Amino acid sequence: MGLAKQSSGYRATLSDTAQASIQSNSGIKEPDGFIPLCVPEIRGTEWQYLKECLDTNWVSSAGPFVNRFEKMVTDYVGTKYGVATVNGTAALHIALLVAGVKPDEEVLVSTMSFIAPANAIRYVGAWPVFIDADPAYWQMDVAKLDNFISKGCHWHNGELTNRATGRRVKAILPVHILGHPCDMNTIREVARKYSLTIIEDATESLGAQYQGEMVGHLGDVACFSFNGNKTITTGGGGMVVTDRWEWAERASYLTTQAKDDPLEYIHGEIGYNYRLTNVQAALGCAQMEQLERYIEAKLRIAGAYSYALGEVSGIITMMEAPWASSVSWLNTVLIEEKVFGTDSRGLLKHLASSNIQARPLWQPLHMSPAHKGAYSIDCPEAERLYLEALSLPSSVGLTKQDQGRVTAAIADAGKRQN
Ligand SMILES: *Cc1c(COP(=O)(O)O)cnc(C)c1O
């Protein structure tokens, strides 16, 4: 997700081009060095495990680290099975296929999300139906979801149909954004009542909990991403996790070109080359060993933002629902322009001029030109969040000093306007 710059402060090594591009920001001690939004933390056994791959020649999509990584993630999340994939988007594509979502069916999905889940829904020929965000915690608004199903849909012969489009509604795809879980009780209730499958997009929330249950183990199947900006990274990577053996088997089959005969190149159907490599999985194993420490760091950063920005009028920090245990993947604040004196984009520019990277939330998907053909309920809250929200530097390696610079720059931007 567009991390053009990376601070050398956290890097073991960078390519020459990357080194050159950050030259002016290099050096950990520089008081005004560049503070990136969210970069990886590579300080564990990554080198050792990568060396094992290279020394043993197991570099491709078979090898011991792939299974070990799948086991580490599923042990942690509590699911029975996990199938590693090349990235989180591929994991979503496969999850929709194994869940049996068919062309011209519909999937109810959060509009306030990165675009990947909606795209994956289109990959299988199905259509997203966009659901608004709730004003308090910014996740899928379950009251609006329930209202859409009971008023906007028609339940007949065990099938739910969207009255407006005439298409069958097959699944719910809640996206646990920014490290915080969706309110799952209502989602599970309507799913049970109307025979809908729950596909969790847990890509931003590894380690978060809903009423003590792990995110990724709250529905029928879930997806993780190990992209460079996620809590743990494999460079690029993802995983489909589920308790259903047949779905895991099918995920494994579809991600490896649907090969029926290992010798004769006989393929039962059109599959995909979506398997994670051993080299990437080696990174993943090293990163999983650090996950608890990373989450502690993220929570400490979130606490410090709440404390420091709680004093700044016009800035609202993200709240945690009473039923949630968030991992604060990406700390995001709302800017009330009238009180603060400038809007989120004004603050974004001010931070950029202080060499601090911030970013708005995603354009809500119901507004996206890429999904203009899809149905959506009214989504005023997502539209408001889009205008008011700004994500702040949240790397695991963010120092106290650098975080102090971020909060000081925000306070300064507010003062100047008032
Ligand atoms: C990161 C992310 C994904 C998957 O991303 P990949 O880059 O394909 O690994 C999917 N959904 C959301 C909400 C994400 O933030």
Side-chain angles (χ1 to χ4, degrees):
M1 295 190 342
L3 293 173
K5 288 192 171 184
Q6 294 189 321
S7 160
S8 64
Y10 316 122
R11 300 268 74 68
T13 335
L14 284 168
S15 71
D16 288 349
T17 11
Q19 286 283 11
S21 78
I22 58 154
Q23 204 109 73
S24 56
N25 310 309
S26 63
I28 312 168
K29 295 284 182 275
E30 246 177 75
D32 59 347
F34 178 69
I35 305 177
L37 190 71
C38 202
V39 292
E41 174 85 353
I42 314 242
R43 291 181 179 228
T45 49
E46 287 87 355
W47 277 113
Q48 184 196 323
Y49 291 173
L50 280 179
K51 188 168 186 312
E52 276 179 43
C53 294
L54 303 182
D55 288 347
T56 57
N57 221 21
W58 284 104
V59 294
S60 198
S61 55
F65 282 115
V66 178
N67 295 339
R68 191 159 136 199
F69 183 47
E70 287 170 344
K71 182 158 185 343
M72 284 178 96
V73 173
T74 54
D75 281 353
Y76 180 76
V77 172
T79 56
K80 287 190 184 144
Y81 312 103
V83 177
T85 57
V86 285
N87 55 51
T89 309
L92 285 159
H93 183 189
I94 293 297
L96 286 152
L97 288 171
V98 301
V101 176
K102 304 250 160 31
D104 277 326
E105 292 182 335
E106 289 186 337
V107 179
L108 312 179
V109 62
S110 314
T111 193
M112 183 37 78
S113 165
F114 178 55
I115 199 168
N119 287 355
I121 291 166
R122 295 296 295 130
Y123 297 165
V124 302
W127 294 90
V129 169
F130 297 115
I131 306 295
D132 201 6
D134 82 90
Y137 312 114
W138 319 345
Q139 311 297 323
M140 176 184 275
D141 187 322
V142 296
K144 288 184 180 172
L145 171 81
D146 192 23
N147 185 63
F148 167 70
I149 290 176
S150 54
K151 306 231 169 73
C153 295
H154 174 68
W155 174 244
H156 182 68
N157 277 348
E159 287 191 12
L160 191 69
T161 307
N162 180 348
R163 289 181 195 274
T165 61
R167 294 195 275 249
R168 179 177 180 186
V169 179
K170 186 63 178 286
I172 308 175
L173 202 164
V175 186
H176 310 292
I177 62 165
L178 305 172
H180 189 290
C182 293
D183 185 357
M184 292 304 294
N185 272 357
T186 307
I187 293 174
R188 284 162 158 177
E189 240 166 66
V190 294
R192 205 174 311 123
K193 202 161 152 194
Y194 299 105
S195 303
L196 304 173
T197 302
I198 299 174
I199 300 160
E200 290 178 79
D201 182 333
T203 50
E204 298 182 5
S205 299
L206 177 63
Q209 294 180 17
Y210 174 77
Q211 294 182 344
E213 288 180 80
M214 294 299 283
V215 157
H217 200 193
L218 302 170
D220 298 289
V221 58
C223 301
F224 289 105
S225 164
F226 311 110
N227 184 27
N229 63 355
K230 300 291 155 72
T231 305
I232 67 158
T233 188
T234 57
M239 199 176 292
V240 179
V241 299
T242 181
D243 279 345
R244 300 185 188 210
W245 184 82
E246 306 79 33
W247 289 16
E249 273 288 299
R250 185 146 175 80
S252 160
Y253 179 70
L254 288 174
T255 52
T256 50
Q257 304 279 30
K259 197 190 291 168
D260 283 344
D261 186 300
L263 186 64
E264 299 284 349
Y265 290 102
I266 294 165
H267 302 266
E269 58 188 289
I270 295 170
Y272 304 87
N273 181 9
Y274 275 177
R275 211 58 179 131
L276 193 73
T277 66
N278 200 50
V279 169
Q280 292 166 308
L283 280 178
C285 291
Q287 292 267 297
M288 273 305 285
E289 291 170 2
Q290 304 288 320
L291 178 59
E292 286 306 326
R293 193 174 71 75
Y294 289 2
I295 292 172
E296 275 167 30
K298 294 270 190 192
L299 295 179
R300 184 164 25 81
I301 292 165
Y305 274 133
S306 295
Y307 183 77
L309 298 175
E311 313 266 285
V312 181
S313 46
I315 299 285
I316 298 157
T317 53
M318 197 174 176
M319 287 191 304
E320 186 179 59
W323 33 260
S325 171
S326 171
V327 287
S328 296
W329 165 62
L330 192 61
N331 290 282
T332 302
V333 294
L334 301 185
I335 292 97
E336 284 184 299
E337 185 182 354
K338 286 205 181 77
V339 185
F340 187 67
T342 184
D343 67 359
S344 62
R345 298 332 189 248
L347 178 57
L348 177 78
K349 285 198 191 104
H350 178 81
L351 291 173
S353 72
S354 313
N355 231 353
I356 296 166
Q357 188 181 26
R359 205 183 48 194
L361 283 181
W362 319 273
Q363 180 187 47
L365 297 175
H366 70 281
M367 297 168 74
S368 170
H371 289 283
K372 58 180 180 292
Y375 185 78
S376 178
I377 65 166
D378 285 339
C379 299
E381 285 303 327
E383 289 173 24
R384 181 182 65 90
L385 290 171
Y386 178 46
L387 293 178
E388 294 186 355
L390 207 59
S391 298
L392 303 178
S394 300
S395 305
V396 164
L398 183 69
T399 62
K400 267 193 188 140
Q401 190 190 355
D402 277 355
Q403 191 173 9
R405 254 182 65 204
V406 177
T407 52
I410 294 172
D412 179 53
K415 269 194 218 106
R416 278 184 199 214
Q417 305 298 327
N418 286 305

